[in-house]
Amino acid sequence: QKEVEQNSGPLSVPEGAIASLNCTYSDRGSQSFFWYRQYSGKSPELIMSIYSNGDKEDGRFTAQLNKASQYVSLLIRDSQPSDSATYLCAASFYFGTGTSLTVIP
Amino acid sequence: DARVTQTPRDKVTEMGQEVTMRCQPILGHNTVFWYRQTMMQGLELLAYFRNRAPLDDSGMPKDRFSAEMPDATLATLKIQPSEPRDSAVYFCASGLGQYETQYFGPGTRLLVL
């Protein structure tokens, strides 16, 4: 399977801070990239999708894609305790193992 | 509110038994994926279908796993015979193409004793 690598964490940030999540992928042919959030015991749900190089913003979330470096990132601004979850990066339909994020009140 | 549904939600069985998991994709979605999730391996792709045709099942142990789509509203994943190492959460997801957003079902939690 195509590899998608994420820092497994855990990553802890204080409430209100910026959380930065990173991901690299091995398949240069990948055309679509996704960040999913998964709460414990629940199924993954889409946070952001990105298809072109550069930044894409949606509310407190910004996804960044650099195809030359095969790198995808997710920034979460003004982190809230409700953002505490595992964040899964996907290149097409291949997933990383996830980064666990804890936002400390 | 369109959702992917999966049955059963939980399954406990003994080693050697057959296990069948079912998935109803969102109406109109032409792509269906099966994943297995464990703490150690994360979310592993087992197989996926487009327009009911299997496109890739290279992630499945062929000797014991099989996946089918008898019709557009039903996908099945079978394990025969089951083994303790098959214990995991199995997710079905559907979408409008293999490179598009996937919508996940609630998962089937399988425990093989």
Side-chain angles (χ1 to χ4, degrees):
Chain A
Q1 292 196 2
K2 307 294 193 284
E3 291 191 355
V4 178
E5 300 285 342
Q6 293 182 252
N7 187 330
S8 62
L11 174 65
S12 293
V13 300
E15 183 175 355
I18 295 175
S20 177
L21 306 166
N22 304 311
C23 168
T24 59
Y25 59 94
S26 64
D27 181 15
R28 285 194 172 274
S30 296
Q31 296 295 318
S32 54
F33 304 88
F34 307 91
W35 284 99
Y36 290 81
R37 177 176 61 196
Q38 186 175 25
Y39 292 112
S40 181
K42 302 296 185 181
S43 55
E45 57 181 354
L46 181 74
I47 297 294
M48 294 280 287
S49 61
I50 187 166
Y51 298 87
S52 304
N53 278 332
D55 296 359
K56 179 180 179 183
E57 186 174 319
D58 184 1
R60 297 186 295 112
F61 299 92
T62 299
Q64 299 174 317
L65 172 62
N66 183 325
K67 290 185 178 180
S69 300
Q70 296 175 248
Y71 175 86
V72 191
S73 67
L74 180 70
L75 296 177
I76 307 174
R77 290 181 299 280
D78 188 23
S79 296
Q80 300 297 308
S82 59
D83 294 327
S84 298
T86 296
Y87 289 79
L88 301 169
C89 171
S92 299
F93 38 84
Y94 295 105
F95 284 78
T97 53
T99 298
S100 175
L101 171 67
T102 300
V103 180
I104 303 167
Chain B
D1 184 21
R3 298 185 184 187
V4 176
T5 59
Q6 288 185 248
T7 56
R9 293 292 303 273
D10 287 278
K11 176 72 175 181
V12 181
T13 191
E14 293 187 346
M15 183 173 61
Q17 297 298 304
E18 177 177 302
V19 176
T20 299
M21 290 169 267
R22 294 176 174 82
C23 167
Q24 181 172 13
I26 292 172
L27 187 64
H29 283 186
N30 64 356
T31 310
V32 175
F33 302 82
W34 283 105
Y35 291 93
R36 174 172 62 185
Q37 188 173 42
T38 61
M39 289 293 292
M40 293 300 295
Q41 298 298 327
L43 203 57
E44 298 176 276
L45 177 68
L46 296 175
Y48 75 95
F49 297 77
R50 193 171 85 184
N51 296 325
R52 296 176 54 201
L55 291 190
D56 187 352
D57 62 0
S58 58
M60 289 200 311
K62 299 290 193 307
D63 56 338
R64 299 185 300 108
F65 284 59
S66 63
E68 296 180 344
M69 278 202 74
D71 61 60
T73 65
L74 176 65
T76 62
L77 179 67
K78 292 186 180 181
I79 307 174
Q80 170 63 22
S82 58
E83 297 181 0
R85 58 180 168 156
D86 300 329
S87 298
V89 180
Y90 291 80
F91 286 106
C92 173
S94 71
L96 292 171
Q98 63 258 48
Y99 304 114
E100 303 301 322
T101 299
Q102 296 183 44
Y103 297 85
F104 282 79
T108 293
R109 188 190 332 238
L110 174 65
L111 178 61
V112 183
L113 301 174

